[in-house]
Amino acid sequence: MPDRLSTLLANVEDDLRAAWRTEGSPVPFDEWKTERRARERADEEARVQAEIRAERRSRLLERLDAQIPPRYRSARVTDPRIASWCDTAHEGRGESLLILGPVGVGKSYEAFGAMRHLVGRHIRNAVVVVAADLYAALRPRAGVDTEAEFERYAHAQLLLVDDIGAAKSSEWTEEINYRLVNFRYNHELPTVFTSNTPPRELGTVVGQRVASRLTEMCTVVVLDGQDRRRAA
Ligand SMILES: Nc1ncnc2c1ncn2[C@@H]1O[C@H](COP(=O)(O)OP(=O)(O)O)[C@@H](O)[C@H]1O
Ligand SMILES: [Mg+2]
């Protein structure tokens, strides 16, 4: 129906002309109209891009949350030192984070919070694991390619190893710690570690080779305060 279409277009044109007059723009109408269209298109594009980013972030976060124990699925960074580590974690390369402190002060909470903060912003592929579960997953056994499993952790764009040094250590767990930390260190891959080992005892607990690399590659944040589990 060409009549109705041309009436509609004429109305749009009238509205635009009215807007142009109201604005009192010194630019001729046709030019003003072109600029306005370009601006509208740019706004629309920015809106779509933002939507795509938000969708991607929520998809990545869902994938991360599937790996996170329910208790920590709403974890958020509350410590300002860890928040500022998050802000710079993607700049430069390989700056890792070591959260130390006694039991129950919120190390895991902050660590999971940091992972959740970074995923979808600067990080696509994040892997989280409790050290004891890592050793269990890597125990050589029939029918399992544990080397492939090791690589999944070693190559992750961002990795969280929760509670390193907490499990009873053996030569074999020390070797796993060394291989993993050394790989992350050599490839400058950001890693978040938590441990309730006192800073001075780190070398004794995880071995000197691992402790020395951790100290060099990590921003160390010591949390103190009360055991939140007892307080609750
Ligand atoms: N900042 C926080 N806000 C709310 N709850 C927290 C916070 N930090 C820790 N918690 C809660 O306190 C308990 C102990 O924290 P957790 O991170 O497991 O301690 P840690 O790993 O140091 O032993 C958990 O139930 C955790 O969810
Ligand atoms: Mg913990």
Side-chain angles (χ1 to χ4, degrees):
M1 262 180 265
D3 302 359
R4 265 170 75 181
L5 182 61
S6 42
T7 317
L8 199 69
L9 288 175
N11 286 345
V12 170
E13 185 81 1
D14 285 349
D15 288 350
L16 276 175
R17 205 175 277 278
W20 172 67
R21 273 202 210 94
T22 314
E23 217 175 84
S25 169
V27 181
F29 177 63
D30 283 338
E31 227 173 275
W32 178 88
K33 198 165 75 174
T34 312
E35 273 169 21
R36 185 181 157 120
R37 290 245 164 86
R39 208 166 47 233
E40 278 171 359
R41 227 169 299 156
D43 286 352
E44 178 62 16
E45 196 174 309
R47 205 159 37 236
V48 170
Q49 291 295 349
E51 246 169 56
I52 291 172
R53 269 199 306 275
E55 243 167 60
R56 190 173 49 210
R57 176 166 154 71
S58 79
R59 212 175 42 243
L60 290 168
L61 201 53
E62 244 171 55
R63 206 192 297 161
L64 174 69
D65 279 345
Q67 301 179 60
I68 293 184
R71 179 179 296 278
Y72 302 103
R73 255 176 228 162
S74 53
R76 286 176 167 278
V77 172
T78 62
D79 187 284
R81 295 164 295 176
I82 295 173
S84 86
W85 176 82
C86 285
D87 289 340
T88 55
H90 57 101
E91 291 168 8
R93 296 192 46 153
E95 192 54 36
S96 291
L97 175 68
L98 173 59
I99 306 175
L100 297 177
V103 168
V105 290
K107 299 181 298 296
S108 299
Y109 186 93
E110 297 286 333
F112 283 114
M115 301 298 281
R116 299 186 77 253
H117 179 85
L118 289 170
V119 159
R121 288 198 172 84
H122 310 289
I123 300 290
R124 282 164 289 107
N125 160 31
V127 173
V128 310
V129 70
V130 179
D133 295 335
L134 172 76
Y135 308 137
L138 299 182
R139 283 257 171 237
R141 56 207 188 278
V144 179
D145 183 356
T146 51
E147 196 52 35
E149 190 68 3
F150 174 81
E151 284 178 10
R152 191 169 77 81
Y153 298 107
H155 291 252
Q157 197 189 2
L158 175 67
L159 174 70
L160 164 62
V161 183
D162 194 26
D163 254 340
I164 193 168
K168 199 165 180 300
S169 73
S170 66
E171 240 173 69
W172 183 80
T173 59
E174 270 186 28
E175 198 54 29
I176 294 294
N177 288 341
Y178 174 69
R179 279 190 68 204
L180 187 65
V181 170
N182 190 48
F183 189 95
R184 306 291 299 176
Y185 174 85
N186 286 346
H187 292 83
E188 304 183 308
L189 291 164
T191 313
V192 178
F193 301 92
T194 76
S195 179
N196 61 12
T197 306
R200 284 163 202 284
E201 288 168 34
L202 207 58
T204 330
V205 174
V206 296
Q208 294 301 340
R209 295 178 303 169
V210 171
S212 147
R213 282 167 181 75
L214 287 180
T215 314
E216 185 188 335
M217 75 201 267
C218 293
T219 298
V220 181
V221 172
V222 181
L223 296 181
D224 47 23
Q226 299 199 43
D227 181 344
R228 284 173 175 268
R229 296 196 192 98
R230 277 169 188 275

